[in-house]
């Protein structure tokens, strides 16, 4: 029987979108000094959602000053147990307002509501819960008997998981007694501003978290500000390198979480149907806008044809469309700039001789879309095998032996994530030791948990977020 | 090498026509197409018998499996020996428990609304094997169940009859008489249901009695003791013998997944039953907990999908036991649609073995049509 799912859109009514948003400085929403603003759009419809203030150097200065005052006067001297109370409260309010945050995240980012509802928002709350628990136990975290906060952290986050990245950055920083100036991505500022409302609602002392929205210039002002003791950046490798150059010799601390070209390695004895799901989760989750995406599929040559056939059949069941529809699997590309980049790299794949297959799904008329795509006959020298595409594009390479799989997986300037699919436990352990990647998943992919550290090797960055290890980046140890 | 077996359709062009099972009228049936299945570096050739038009899909034959080596030399039938059968089953790709359960948990979040919900609820009614399997069953109980099966909702003639009623073999005659003139089939649980602990000739006699009393479908149980002790050939031989005893009756093979426990076992038992000629593979007797679950159904649907790819024969899946709400039933349909595909969204490819499920589906259907919930007592209990 031909059975189609009827549209099942989540209601937008729960979101109270304001026509314009100010900056969040010292516990209040304020207008920027020079009054400049930019628009944020819904990438699925190109509709303008709101106008958002663009923070200039003077605004960043006010924010850093507020954060310094809060760190010295209230948040730093406060006992860990008291800080924990605030963080637990924030986590609970995140849960209470989860539906609103999920809808807003999908509107502003373009990701399917299924993902914002089941992954982004619950995980954001989980990170606050987890680090709230550490706030009064820092002396037992393994960093000495009396670890101290660093001061004001400048935190610059990307557009792919706007709320979740704010939680990853803020929760450990605040638990350790630091205060923060957070700079959300230009295309996805809205959930960070609702998070600021949540901080107000939780009664967080003014200045502990400040949110300065804006583009690259705002971020640059924050990085350059002498009052900032630490910069935490998640984003592209190019910008990360620039920040590192800028900070050289300043004494500011830095953690970077940058790009990746993760290898998802499938052996011939893998649990095949689950491996197919893992490949799909690895690269088509969040439209491939994932720094740790499994964008290179390394499949043992003996099963390569079968895996690609099964994968193509599976991709045709993916549902691309309205991000607010509860049955949507693939949402919109976040911005026209990103769409152009994906399109350009996919064209380079064809030009360099790889075989392109694109899922035959209809694309909506408005908005920014890219259908799930697979490249086969990819050789390690192709651009699509080396450069981060950050879109729903998978490059398939083959290998013959475990040694060759390791060699190909490590043959990249990056080193953020890898996946291993095999039923042989000893091989998983051996591979995990050989792979130069910060995260190695076995028989799963793109699974996140607050207790687990996350971070990269080489051009994927340094420093760890999550787990006990994530505290180190925010403690003077 | 033996542990890393896999199965793939190597050349399927000639099968594509055949698998529809229904050649156009007047068409001369082509010679039986040959499917080549790669198995652990060997190549298997499957001779499929062409089926005449109009034959029920389950009336076909499993075909003869002929295994040839990479060089074309005949080696052995997959089922020729205990050793080759074992090698084949152990060579099937494993099932990762966490992954399988995560997949069905995701599919359970699909939101089925409006017209698609109404269509699905009516499909569920048409897929139900309305079941009573109690020591206390009497002819009176069977007759009232049959009346319910013909007209599930007396207040609404738009409700289709269910697929079948499912009873013990001694009550087949009663059910057959009560259902005469209706499209509802009679299914009988045979082979010393539910434990299957009896000698083969007793089981076969059980089947023959049910078939001669008019059963259209036989639900057999596999010998789980034999399966769990690794005597796969015995299990296969029993399925084949029962299939033969069924004659024209449609064979459902109950795996009793609650006793097989692991998904790897469920997968191997599914292939074993299909190799033995099952028209349907069925999760459970309903007498063992856990009975049907979404991940078990997922693994079985993947098996029938892969078997279809390899042989061109479409085997159905029946989930039975513990499915009581319309919401649960819709979740199964979602798993069917997104695993085996829409070809399985039909009563001859997917069934629910249930009793209380029917009234919940009727209630939800009425709600969907009128916008209001009605009382449980507005529907007859059976």
């Amino acid at each position: 029987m031909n059975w189609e799912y009827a549209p099942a859109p989540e209601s937008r009514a729960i979101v109270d979108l304001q026509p314009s948003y100010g900056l969040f400085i010292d516990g209040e929403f304020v207008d920027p000094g020079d009054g400049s603003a930019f628009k944020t759009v819904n990438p699925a419809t190109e509709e303008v959602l709101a106008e958002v203030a663009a923070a200039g150097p003077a605004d960043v200065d006010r924010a850093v000053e507020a954060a310094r005052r809060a760190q010295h006067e209230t948040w730093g001297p406060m006992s860990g147990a008291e800080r924990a109370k605030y963080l637990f409260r924030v986590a609970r309010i995140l849960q209470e307002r989860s539906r609103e945050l999920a809808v807003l995240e999908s509107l502003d980012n373009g990701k399917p509501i299924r993902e914002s509802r089941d992954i982004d928002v619950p995980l954001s709350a989980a990170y606050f819960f987890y680090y709230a628990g550490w706030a009064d136990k820092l002396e037992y975290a393994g960093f000495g008997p009396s670890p101290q906060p660093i001061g004001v952290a400048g935190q610059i986050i990307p557009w792919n998981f706007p709320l979740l990245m704010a939680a990853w950055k803020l929760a450990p920083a605040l638990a350790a007694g630091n205060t923060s100036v957070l700079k959300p991505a230009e295309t996805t500022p809205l959930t960070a501003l609702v998070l600021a409302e949540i901080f107000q609602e939780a009664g967080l002392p003014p200045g502990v978290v400040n949110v300065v929205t804006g583009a690259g210039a705002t971020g640059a002002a924050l990085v350059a500000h002498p009052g900032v003791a630490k910069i935490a950046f998640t984003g592209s490798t190019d910008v990360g390198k620039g920040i590192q150059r800028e900070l050289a010799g300043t004494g500011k601390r830095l953690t970077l979480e940058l790009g990746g070209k993760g290898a998802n390695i499938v052996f011939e004895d893998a649990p095949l149907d689950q491996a197919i799901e893992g490949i799909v989760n690895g690269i088509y989750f969040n439209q491939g806008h994932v720094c740790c995406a499994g964008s290179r599929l390394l499949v043992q040559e003996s099963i390569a044809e079968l895996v690609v056939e099964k994968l193509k059949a599976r991709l045709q069941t993916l549902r691309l469309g309205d991000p607010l529809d509860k049955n949507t699997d693939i949402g919109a590309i976040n911005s026209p700039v990103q769409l152009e980049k994906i399109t350009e790299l996919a064209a380079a794949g064809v030009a360099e001789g790889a075989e392109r297959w694109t899922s035959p799904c209809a694309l909506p008329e408005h908005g920014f879309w890219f259908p799930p795509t697979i490249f086969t006959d990819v050789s390690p020298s192709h651009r699509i095998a080396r450069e981060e595409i950050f879109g729903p594009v998978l490059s398939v390479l083959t290998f013959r032996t475990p040694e060759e799989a390791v060699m190909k997986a490590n043959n990249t300037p990056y080193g953020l994530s890898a996946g291993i699919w095999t039923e042989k436990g000893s091989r998983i352990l051996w591979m995990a030791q050989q792979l130069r990647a910060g995260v190695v998943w076995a028989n799963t992919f793109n699974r996140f948990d607050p207790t687990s550290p996350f971070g990269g090797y080489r051009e994927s960055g340094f420093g760890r977020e999550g787990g006990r290890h994530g505290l180190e980046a925010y403690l003077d140890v | 090498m033996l542990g890393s077996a896999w199965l793939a359709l190597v050349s399927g062009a000639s099968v594509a026509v055949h698998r529809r099972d229904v050649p156009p009228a007047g068409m001369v049936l082509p010679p039986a197409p040959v499917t080549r299945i790669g198995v652990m570096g060997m190549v298997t050739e499957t001779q499929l018998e062409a089926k005449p038009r109009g034959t029920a899909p389950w009336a076909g034959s499993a075909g003869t499996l002929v295994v040839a080596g990479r060089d074309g030399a005949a080696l052995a039938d997959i089922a020729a020996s205990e050793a080759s059968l074992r090698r084949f089953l152990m060579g099937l790709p494993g099932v990762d428990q966490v992954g399988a359960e995560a997949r069905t948990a995701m599919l359970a979040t699909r939101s089925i609304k409006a017209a698609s919900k109404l269509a699905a609820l009516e499909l569920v009614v048409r897929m139900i094997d309305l079941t009573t399997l109690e020591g206390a069953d009497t002819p009176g109980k069977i007759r009232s169940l049959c009346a319910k099966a013909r007209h599930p909702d007396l207040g609404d003639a738009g409700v289709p009859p269910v697929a079948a009623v499912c009873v013990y073999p001694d009550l087949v005659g009663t059910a057959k008489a009560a259902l005469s003139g209706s499209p509802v089939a009679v299914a009988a649980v045979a082979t010393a249901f539910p434990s299957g602990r009896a000698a083969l000739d007793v089981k076969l006699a059980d089947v023959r009695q049910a078939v001669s009393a008019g059963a259209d479908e036989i639900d057999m149980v596999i010998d789980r003791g034999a399966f769990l002790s690794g005597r796969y050939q015995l299990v296969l031989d029993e399925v084949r013998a029962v299939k033969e005893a069924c004659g024209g009756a449609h064979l459902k093979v109950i795996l009793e997944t609650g006793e097989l426990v692991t998904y790897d076992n469920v997968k191997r038992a599914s292939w074993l039953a299909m190799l033995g000629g099952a028209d349907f593979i069925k999760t459970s007797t309903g007498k063992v907990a856990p009975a049907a679950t979404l991940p078990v159904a997922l693994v079985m649907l993947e098996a029938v999908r892969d078997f279809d790819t390899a042989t061109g024969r479409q085997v159905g899946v029946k989930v039975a036991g513990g499915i009581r709400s319309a919401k649960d039933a819709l979740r199964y349909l979602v798993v069917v649609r997104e695993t085996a595909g829409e070809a399985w969204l039909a009563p001859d490819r997917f069934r629910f073995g249930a009793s209380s499920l029917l009234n919940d589906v009727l209630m939800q259907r009425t709600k969907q049509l009128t916008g209001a919930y009605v009382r449980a007592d507005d529907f007859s209990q059976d």
Side-chain angles (χ1 to χ4, degrees), chain A residues 1-6 8 114 117 268 270-274 277 302 306 310 314 319 327 329 423, chain B residues 4 6-7 94-96 100 103 106 109-113 116 120 302 305-306 333-334 337-338 342 345:
Chain A
M1 190 179 98
N2 180 21
W3 181 44
E4 278 305 319
Y5 303 152
R114 174 164 70 73
R117 177 196 67 198
E268 62 185 1
L272 216 49
D273 287 306
Q274 287 71 48
E277 292 308 314
S302 55
L306 176 65
K310 275 182 169 276
R314 173 68 177 85
R319 308 169 61 80
N327 295 328
D329 298 318
E423 294 250 288
Chain B
S4 59
W6 53 280
L7 210 103
V95 181
D96 185 76
R103 171 73 176 144
M106 189 290 271
T109 70
R110 291 289 195 223
S111 180
I112 306 302
K113 301 282 181 213
S116 61
E302 286 167 351
R305 177 198 64 199
D306 292 348
L333 291 192
V334 166
R337 183 184 184 278
E338 302 207 23
E342 292 194 329
L345 286 174

Side-chain angles (χ1 to χ4, degrees), chain B residues 153-165:
Chain B
D153 185 352
L154 282 175
D156 186 345
V159 177
V162 301
V165 295

Side-chain angles (χ1 to χ4, degrees), chain B residues 285-333:
Chain B
T285 59
K287 305 291 185 193
V288 167
T293 65
L294 283 175
V296 158
L298 174 80
V299 171
M300 290 168 67
L301 285 158
E302 286 167 351
V304 298
R305 177 198 64 199
D306 292 348
F307 188 78
D308 175 35
T309 307
T311 69
R313 191 166 78 86
Q314 300 188 333
V315 175
V317 174
K318 177 174 170 182
V319 290
I323 304 159
R324 293 190 181 84
S325 72
K327 190 168 194 160
D328 282 344
L330 295 189
R331 286 179 174 159
Y332 279 97
L333 291 192

Side-chain angles (χ1 to χ4, degrees), chain A residues 350-416:
Chain A
V350 176
E352 289 181 335
E355 180 79 27
R356 176 179 174 158
W357 181 89
T358 294
S359 182
C361 57
L363 302 183
E365 230 171 275
H366 298 287
F368 319 120
W369 306 90
F370 199 91
T373 294
I374 303 175
F375 278 99
T376 48
D377 294 336
V378 178
S379 86
S381 61
H382 287 163
R383 282 182 68 199
I384 51 169
R386 307 201 63 79
E387 295 180 24
E388 184 178 41
I389 300 175
F390 224 63
V393 180
L394 178 68
S395 301
V396 184
L397 298 93
T398 60
F399 68 88
R400 294 162 297 178
T401 63
E403 287 75 11
E404 188 180 7
V406 168
M407 187 270 285
K408 284 188 165 168
N410 286 341
N411 182 217
T412 165
Y414 297 110
L416 192 50

